[in-house]
Amino acid sequence: MFKKICHKFVTSVLLALFIFSFVAAPTTLAISKRDVRAEAQKFIDEYTATWTKLRYESSQAEWRSNTMIVEGDDTNSKATVAANEKLVAFTGSKKNIDGATKFLSQKDKLTTIQVKQLQAILFIAASNPETAKDLVKERISAETAQTEKLFGFDFKIDGKSVTTNDIDRILKESNDLAARRAAWESSKQVGIGLKDGLANLQRLRNGTVKPLGYKSFYSYQVSEYGMTAEEMQALMMKINRELRPLYRELHTWARYELAKKYNQPVPDQLPADWLTNRWGQDWSEMVTVEGMDVNAALKNKSAEWIVKEGENFYVSLGFPRLPQSFWDKSSLYPLPKDAKYKKNNHASAWHLDLENDLRSLMSVEPNAEWFETSNHELGHIYYYINYTNKNVPPLLREGANRAYHEAIGSMMGFAATQKPFLVGRGLIAADAKVDQTQALLREALSNVVFIPFSAGTMPGFEYALYEKNLPKDQYNKRWWEIVKQYQGIVPPTARGEQFCDACTKTHINDDAAQYYDYALSYVLLFQMHDHIATKILKQDPHATNYYGSKEVGAFLKKIMSPGSSRDWRVVLRETTGEDLSAKAMLRYFEPLTAYLKKANAGRKYTLPDLPAR
């Protein structure tokens, strides 16, 4: 009897415990999940508070180093190094790495936004981990010194100091081959003093990312797309192959047209000093579209008018006016001739505090190139403004992916060059007779020509530099091998290893291993533009006018506002209804193919084949 009662009691207790476990388990798990989320949020909030403060101090120092370069004065560079050292000491600290890693090991208990922020914390840390703090410190100093050497360089032609704008003007306008060669060679002199610095940065950049498991600095940068270095190179090759038939036609056409212009034999490859751009990445100045001479329309405008007109464009789409601080703090125009200092002449947009301190660094002059560039840079600024909202934490205030920022900016600059837009802004006459084929050719000489450089030359060289540890005594040789293979361009004279022509491109020095962003941005550009033209404006993609369309503004805001808080593929699919594809770009230039084939009939095709798959 006792045994039976005991057994019955035990059984009842076990049953009760069994039932209780089913009732209590969800509550216990819920509390556990809530606690983990609360702890993770506390960690994220504390990290963000310190990070944004130190990042702002670093950005302000970087701004001074880029806008006030005084020969022989290292005050700004020292301040920049000090600010950057404080920032990287924090972001790369073992405490922060361990904390983010700990919470990510329980990511099934976290919100998607929390996971994304923790992943961002680890990505930031990977370029400057505490475990490689000596290398990190050395890298910061080396990068600052490299930037100052690049933008503090005194370019000279025939012993006379010139600006990069002066060099560009000669390459765009002069028919004197001797003057062109002198200007082109002058533009490459800066690379000589940067070669040792690049070799040092190759070592330092690779060394600082390896402690967190990256093979190279290139692999690290590519990882932000969720890809390996090899996968990114394969994607770049795919884009090059898709556009290669059209680029071959453009390359052939350019060889014959330029030979005729300069009264020279037709070369097999394009001499670099024949082209209108220092790196051969844009040949659009070869064509002046009758009825669309924007340079003529702008020559009597002020540089200030150019930037204000860009602001008016965005305001017409429903965006706010820029804050007064933008105008007060930016460096928008060329320095006075008698200025006692120099500045970085490469156009850029800055979001210094990830809140309201927005600035742009340009050297605007009243011409078509700066008109387009201003609209591009303001695209970045308005992207910053839109994702600075309560739904996007500071750690995720960036483009949906890095290419998106460039895509938005480039698309807005592109849209501002189409005839209906220019007519609407009073920059060309409404009855101007425009040769549409020539207009399309000019666009191709800008957009299609850019792809072999952005998806071929730049990533090809930096992949070799970082992923394959390219030796310093092969830098220039390998650079020109890649340039020839992808772009079909050769130097005008022998370029030995005393030179470092890759170093003359700012991104090699201060925005390393990310140039494929631009190639991807052009694919996105045409995809978004096609959607705007055909689905929103119901206009021919070759002749659009975005100005004043609040629907276009709403479309852009839908892309911009989430920042990187949502998967970029989902954002693209939701806004355009498509996955990433170059089809829109290929479709846009289809009408040009027949024209070029006819123009090139009987001509010799000499563009080198791309590397084997």
Side-chain angles (χ1 to χ4, degrees):
M1 183 70 176
F2 177 75
K3 286 184 178 179
K4 284 185 179 179
I5 293 172
C6 285
H7 178 72
K8 187 175 180 182
F9 175 75
V10 171
T11 302
S12 298
V13 170
L14 289 174
L15 181 60
L17 289 172
F18 182 71
I19 292 170
F20 178 76
S21 71
F22 272 86
V23 174
T27 305
T28 304
L29 287 172
I31 292 171
S32 175
K33 180 179 286 189
R34 186 164 63 245
D35 287 347
V36 171
R37 287 184 178 181
E39 287 180 33
Q41 194 58 51
K42 183 174 183 289
F43 171 77
I44 291 168
D45 289 344
E46 290 176 351
Y47 176 96
T48 299
T50 303
W51 176 68
T52 50
K53 175 180 177 293
L54 294 175
R55 182 188 180 280
Y56 191 27
E57 292 171 0
S58 169
S59 296
Q60 289 173 306
E62 290 281 4
W63 177 264
R64 288 189 292 272
S65 284
N66 278 269
T67 57
M68 186 71 67
I69 302 171
V70 180
E71 187 175 359
D73 186 344
D74 62 359
T75 303
N76 285 337
S77 64
K78 284 182 176 178
T80 299
V81 168
N84 284 342
E85 284 180 352
K86 286 174 65 178
L87 175 62
V88 301
F90 172 74
T91 59
S93 71
K94 188 175 185 299
K95 176 185 175 183
N96 285 325
I97 292 171
D98 289 348
T101 302
K102 179 187 77 172
F103 288 116
L104 282 173
S105 70
Q106 307 172 75
K107 66 180 180 181
D108 58 315
K109 297 178 182 177
L110 304 176
T111 67
T112 301
I113 290 291
Q114 287 178 323
V115 170
K116 283 184 174 288
Q117 289 176 89
L118 291 165
Q119 289 172 336
I121 288 169
L122 280 186
F123 182 81
I124 294 168
S127 68
N128 43 257
E130 184 179 4
T131 49
K133 62 182 180 181
D134 290 339
L135 282 179
V136 171
K137 184 175 181 179
E138 195 179 346
R139 193 200 74 219
I140 292 169
S141 295
E143 287 175 336
T144 301
Q146 192 83 340
T147 298
E148 291 201 339
K149 277 186 181 180
L150 175 62
F151 294 110
F153 187 75
D154 185 13
F155 293 92
K156 291 185 178 181
I157 298 178
D158 297 329
K160 180 182 177 183
S161 294
V162 295
T163 67
T164 51
N165 277 354
D166 293 331
I167 291 171
D168 291 341
R169 193 174 296 110
I170 293 169
L171 293 177
K172 288 173 186 173
E173 299 175 1
S174 178
N175 291 333
D176 183 335
L177 285 178
R180 297 184 64 83
R181 180 167 298 185
W184 186 87
E185 289 182 342
S186 171
S187 77
K188 303 302 173 188
Q189 288 299 110
V190 64
I192 297 172
L194 294 171
K195 188 168 188 176
D196 287 345
L198 180 61
N200 194 33
L201 287 173
Q202 176 188 29
R203 173 183 67 87
L204 294 170
R205 285 168 174 162
N206 275 347
T208 52
V209 299
K210 286 182 178 179
L212 265 73
Y214 294 97
K215 179 184 175 185
S216 76
F217 189 72
Y218 193 87
S219 293
Y220 161 69
Q221 291 288 10
V222 166
S223 72
E224 200 167 14
Y225 284 85
M227 301 170 73
T228 65
E230 287 69 28
E231 287 169 341
M232 180 59 79
Q233 289 305 99
L235 179 57
M236 293 298 100
M237 184 60 74
K238 178 177 179 289
I239 293 171
N240 269 296
R241 289 191 189 283
E242 287 175 342
L243 291 169
R244 197 64 168 182
L246 178 53
Y247 184 70
R248 182 176 286 109
E249 297 294 340
L250 291 166
H251 180 267
T252 304
W253 176 87
R255 285 170 38 240
Y256 281 82
E257 291 299 311
L258 290 174
K260 181 168 60 178
K261 176 181 179 179
Y262 299 130
N263 194 28
Q264 296 291 314
V266 179
D268 280 349
Q269 308 304 328
L270 286 162
D273 60 336
W274 284 20
L275 297 165
T276 56
N277 175 274
R278 281 176 269 162
W279 303 278
Q281 69 184 64
D282 184 336
W283 310 344
S284 58
E285 292 295 328
M286 286 180 63
V287 174
T288 299
V289 181
E290 293 300 326
M292 283 185 68
D293 189 354
V294 180
N295 280 322
L298 294 174
K299 67 180 181 181
N300 293 322
K301 303 288 187 183
S302 68
E304 291 83 357
W305 183 91
I306 299 288
V307 187
K308 283 287 186 182
E309 184 65 8
E311 180 191 33
N312 290 337
F313 180 17
Y314 288 90
V315 170
S316 82
L317 302 178
F319 293 104
R321 291 229 165 252
L322 295 169
Q324 185 58 42
S325 60
F326 170 84
W327 303 103
D328 295 339
K329 294 181 177 181
S330 291
S331 178
L332 299 171
Y333 314 112
L335 295 174
K337 293 288 186 184
D338 60 352
K340 303 300 183 185
Y341 60 94
K342 294 180 181 290
K343 73 173 187 176
N344 180 338
N345 287 304
H346 183 76
S348 56
W350 298 55
H351 196 190
L352 281 82
D353 63 349
L354 296 175
E355 290 289 343
N356 302 311
D357 193 344
L358 309 152
R359 307 182 197 180
S360 182
L361 173 56
M362 296 191 279
S363 294
V364 178
E365 294 184 338
N367 59 46
E369 182 177 4
W370 276 111
F371 181 74
E372 181 176 355
T373 298
S374 293
N375 281 289
H376 176 118
E377 295 305 328
L378 291 185
H380 292 300
I381 297 295
Y382 278 102
Y383 208 150
Y384 299 150
I385 289 171
N386 273 271
Y387 58 55
T388 302
N389 63 68
K390 62 182 178 60
N391 297 317
V392 182
L395 278 161
L396 303 180
R397 288 179 185 172
E398 54 188 15
N401 65 30
R402 292 198 308 256
Y404 264 76
H405 244 298
E406 291 304 322
I408 294 288
S410 295
M411 183 179 71
M412 299 305 284
F414 177 77
T417 65
Q418 294 202 316
K419 182 186 175 183
F421 180 94
L422 294 169
V423 169
R425 305 316 303 145
L427 295 175
I428 62 172
D431 61 354
K433 290 182 170 57
V434 177
D435 186 324
Q436 293 300 328
T437 301
Q438 290 297 102
L440 197 58
L441 176 59
R442 183 179 171 89
E443 289 177 342
L445 291 172
S446 173
N447 295 284
V448 177
V449 161
F450 182 65
I451 293 297
F453 182 74
S454 61
T457 296
M458 287 291 284
F461 179 78
E462 292 193 296
Y463 176 81
L465 183 69
Y466 296 109
E467 191 75 5
K468 300 300 181 182
N469 286 302
L470 182 68
K472 185 176 77 167
D473 62 2
Q474 295 178 29
Y475 284 3
N476 224 41
K477 175 177 178 288
R478 187 68 188 124
W479 171 259
W480 283 107
E481 287 174 348
I482 296 171
V483 169
K484 181 179 179 181
Q485 189 159 51
Y486 283 96
Q487 296 177 265
I489 296 172
V490 293
T493 55
R495 306 290 294 175
E497 287 302 326
Q498 71 271 34
F499 299 107
C500 186
D501 294 327
C503 287
T504 67
K505 188 67 177 171
T506 181
H507 304 76
I508 295 287
N509 302 286
D510 59 13
D511 198 17
Q514 300 177 64
Y515 210 83
Y516 43 80
D517 291 355
Y518 295 99
L520 292 172
S521 78
Y522 272 51
V523 174
L524 285 167
L525 179 168
F526 281 93
Q527 196 164 355
M528 290 188 292
H529 174 72
D530 184 75
H531 180 85
I532 288 171
T534 61
K535 302 295 193 300
I536 299 176
L537 298 175
K538 312 296 184 186
Q539 295 172 358
D540 179 354
H542 304 96
T544 64
N545 185 3
Y546 293 11
Y547 203 95
S549 172
K550 299 300 189 290
E551 283 186 89
V552 171
F555 170 78
L556 293 173
K557 288 174 185 177
K558 190 173 181 180
I559 293 173
M560 294 171 160
S561 295
S564 65
S565 67
R566 302 186 66 219
D567 187 285
W568 67 269
R569 300 166 187 84
V570 174
V571 172
L572 181 65
R573 202 174 301 121
E574 287 181 353
T575 51
T576 68
E578 298 177 343
D579 293 320
L580 183 69
S581 170
K583 290 179 182 176
M585 188 175 186
L586 292 166
R587 188 161 58 243
Y588 185 90
F589 289 107
E590 274 179 1
L592 185 63
T593 304
Y595 167 81
L596 288 172
K597 285 185 175 179
K598 185 175 180 181
N600 288 332
R603 291 176 172 175
K604 181 182 178 184
Y605 291 87
T606 57
L607 185 66
D609 291 331
L610 290 173
R613 293 178 188 275

